[in-house]
Amino acid sequence: MGILWDSILLLLVATFTLFLVRVVLFKTGLIYMVKLWRRKLIDTFHVYQFYKVPEFNENVQENQLYSKVYAYLNSLSSIENSDFTNLFTGKKTNEIILRLDRNQVVSDEFLGARVSWINGQNDDGVRNFVLKIRKADKRRILSSYLQHIHTVSDELEQRNTELKLFMNVDDQNKKNGRWRSIPFDHPCTFENIAMETDLKNKVKSDLESFLKGKQYYNRLGRVWKRSYLLYGPSGTGKSSFVAAMANFLDYDVYDIDLSKVVDDSDLKMLLLQTRGKSVIVIEDLDRYLSTKSTAVTLSGILNFTDSILSSCAADERIMVFTMTGKELIDPAMLRPGRVDVHIHFPLCDFTAFKTLANNYLGVKDHKLFSQVEGIFQNGASLSPAEIGELMIANRNSPTRALKYVINALQTDGDRRGTAGRRLLLESGSRRATTEEVSEDMSGLLCGGGGGGSSPAVKEFRKLYGLLRIKSSRKSGSFDVAREMKDG
Ligand SMILES: Nc1ncnc2c1ncn2[C@@H]1O[C@H](COP(=O)(O)OP(=O)(O)OP(=O)(O)O)[C@@H](O)[C@H]1O
Ligand SMILES: [Mg+2]
C-alpha cells in the first residue's frame, strides 16, 4: 500500500516538475536553446547536403530561381518562426508583410521531409539562398520540391500585379547587379493622354500585335522586341507615353540613366541583366549626346538594340528612346530594325487642348473655346504640360483657367509661334518638317515617296510590317500605315 502511495506521489512530483520546467523554458525563451541543441544532436546523426542558389550567375545575370525561392520563402507561414524577420508595410492600408532577414533560417516541410533554407551572403556581398536537405530525403523529394517552388512562385507572380520601375545604379563592385527597383504605379494611361485618337489606336494595335507575335518573330529568326523613338519639345507627353505603354502592356520599366553607364560594353551588361516583359527606356538621348554627359556613344546605344548580343538578353521587350529632335542624329542610326516606330509629339493644337480641358477641368465646351481656337489658328501654341499646369492651378474655376491659358498663349505661346516661323524659314514649313521626316522613313520602308519599290524593300516590308507614322501638327492628322500585321 505504502509503495503504491509512494509511486503516485512520485508521479505527481515528476509531472509537476516537468510542468514547471516547461513553464520556465517557455517563459524564459530557453526552449529555443533546447530546440537548437536537439537539432544539433539530430544533425550529428544525419548526413546533410547543401545546395546554393546565388542571386546572379557568373555574368552577373539574374538567376530566376533565386527570385522564385525568394517569393516562395516569403510566402511561408514558418517565416514567422525565424529568429529574425523584417516587417514592412504592404500595399493595402494596415497591411504588414514579413521578409526574411540576412542569415536567417526558415524551415519547410515537403512530403514529410524537413528542409531548411538559409538567407545567406557570400564574403563578397553576393546574396544567395542555401537549401539544407537530408541526404536520405534528397533522392525522394528534391526534384519535386523544386518543381513545387516553381509552381507556387508562378502562382504568386500571377497574383502580384505590381509593376516595377528599375533604375541603374553606379555600383562599383557590380556584385549585386546594376538594377534597383521600386513599385511602378504611374497613373498615366492611353485614355488620359491628350493625343490623336487615331494615332493612339494604331499604337495600341501595334503593341497588341507585338504581344501576340512570339511565334512570328521566332519564325523570322528575329529577337522578339520592338523599338520606338518618341521625339518632340519638352512637356509634350513623351515620358507620360512611356508610362502609358508600360501600363497597357503590363510590363516593368527599366529606366537607363546614361550618366551612370561607364562605356558601351557596360551598357551591354546592363541589357543582359534586364528581364523579359519590360519596357527599356533611354530618356533625352539627344541631350546626353550633345552635352557629352555620357561615356556611351550613339552607335553603342543603338547597337545595343540590334546586335547579336540582344538575342542573349531576355525576350519580349520594348525599347524606347526619347529626344527633343532627330536633327542631330544620323538617320542610319535610326534605321528600321533599330528603331521601328517614330512618333512625333507636337505642341498643343486645339484638339489636344480640348482633350486637356475635358480631362483637367471636366469641360467639354465653353464660350471661350472659339477664342482659344482662333489663337491656335494664328500659330500660337504651348506644350500640354504648360497648359495642363494652368488648368490644374485653376481647376475650381474653368473660366479663370481658360482665361489664364488664353493669356499664356498670347504671351509665351506667341513667342513659340515666332520660333515656329523661324523653323518655317529654315525648312519650308513646320508641316514640311514632320512630313520630311516620315517620308525619310517611308523612303526606307516603302521604296521612297516616288513610288517604285525595289524587291529588297518589298521583302523588307513583308518581313517587318513596320509602322509608318506621319504626323502633321497643322492638320493634326497622323498617317500610320500598317504594311503587314505581326504574327
Ligand atoms: N499629351 C499630354 N496629355 C496629357 N498630359 C500631358 C501631355 N503632355 C504632357 N502632359 C503632362 O505634362 C507633364 C509633363 O509631361 P512629360 O514629362 O510626359 O513630357 P515630356 O515630353 O517627357 O517632357 P521632357 O521632354 O521635358 O521630358 C506631365 O505631368 C503630363 O501629365
Ligand atoms: Mg520626359
Side-chain angles (χ1 to χ4, degrees), residues 235 237-240 283-284 322:
K238 300 181 293 296
S239 303
S240 312
E283 291 249 45
D284 306 321
T322 74

Side-chain angles (χ1 to χ4, degrees), residues 87-140:
L87 302 179
F88 295 103
T89 46
K91 265 193 293 176
K92 295 179 212 139
T93 2
N94 298 338
E95 188 193 17
I96 304 286
I97 48 175
L98 280 70
R99 291 283 174 266
L100 263 187
D101 201 52
R102 200 79 23 240
N103 295 323
Q104 296 307 308
V105 180
V106 62
S107 49
D108 191 16
E109 264 191 50
F110 185 72
L111 299 177
R114 267 187 88 76
V115 299
S116 59
W117 287 92
I118 303 148
N119 184 17
Q121 190 165 338
N122 285 353
D123 296 340
D124 53 6
V126 179
R127 291 177 290 198
N128 55 51
F129 284 113
V130 178
L131 170 66
K132 183 179 166 191
I133 184 170
R134 284 180 194 162
K135 276 204 167 160
D137 292 328
K138 186 193 87 176
R139 198 180 290 272
R140 187 170 63 88

